[in-house]
Amino acid sequence: MDQATLVEIHKEGGQRLIERLAEEGIEVTAAAWLKASDDDRYYLNIATPIAEEGADLRPAYRRIHAVIRATPELSWIGAGISNVVSPESPIALGINEINGQFPRPAGFEFGAARFGKTNIERAYIYPRPAPALVGAK
């Protein structure tokens, strides 16, 4: 990805991943591409209840990356550009706070913010996804 620039393929890819996770019964409570002030890249952050605050995140990463691997058009989203966080994490809470203040039906660009100890320079925030379908895989 061009450093410090988020292109449409990334915005659309993030939305597609959120949809695929819902299809697989994995709830996403918050999602955004975030560029921290001290970094030159955007990272896709996915908040999900399968990532428990303070717990080992490897099972959550494995489940999400299995969905990514099973979706060929998302193969470019890998461990190097995605973060899985708990719904109680400062990042998830910050994303949801912004969504509450600026509700929109589609993703949107957002300027500087602070999520816990992380200073965010730029963000592309997805609207809060609908809960995963009951009976999904």
Side-chain angles (χ1 to χ4, degrees):
M1 167 176 1
D2 181 353
Q3 297 187 5
T5 301
L6 192 64
V7 295
E8 285 304 310
I9 190 170
H10 296 97
K11 295 173 186 177
E12 292 168 5
Q15 182 62 48
R16 178 69 179 124
L17 177 57
I18 293 165
E19 293 164 0
R20 283 287 298 124
L21 292 171
E23 290 167 7
E24 295 297 322
I26 300 172
E27 182 181 3
V28 174
T29 61
W33 286 96
L34 302 176
K35 181 188 173 303
S37 298
D38 62 352
D39 204 332
D40 62 349
R41 293 178 59 182
Y42 279 85
Y43 292 89
L44 179 59
N45 289 261
I46 301 284
T48 175
I50 65 171
E52 296 179 30
E53 186 72 24
D56 182 1
L57 295 177
R58 288 178 291 190
Y61 273 102
R62 280 194 290 274
R63 284 196 61 198
I64 290 172
H65 283 274
V67 173
I68 291 170
R69 284 190 304 277
T71 311
E73 70 267 22
L74 299 178
S75 63
W76 56 270
I77 300 177
I81 60 170
S82 63
N83 295 317
V84 179
V85 298
S86 161
E88 292 82 30
S89 72
I91 287 175
L93 295 174
I95 293 167
N96 282 331
E97 181 179 340
I98 291 169
N99 265 327
Q101 292 174 0
F102 307 99
R104 308 233 175 128
F108 60 98
E109 300 277 344
F110 194 81
R114 184 172 176 91
F115 299 156
K117 296 178 182 177
T118 305
N119 288 317
I120 303 299
E121 184 177 308
R122 298 286 309 156
Y124 182 82
I125 298 177
Y126 295 97
R128 184 170 175 132
L133 301 173
V134 175
K137 294 181 187 177

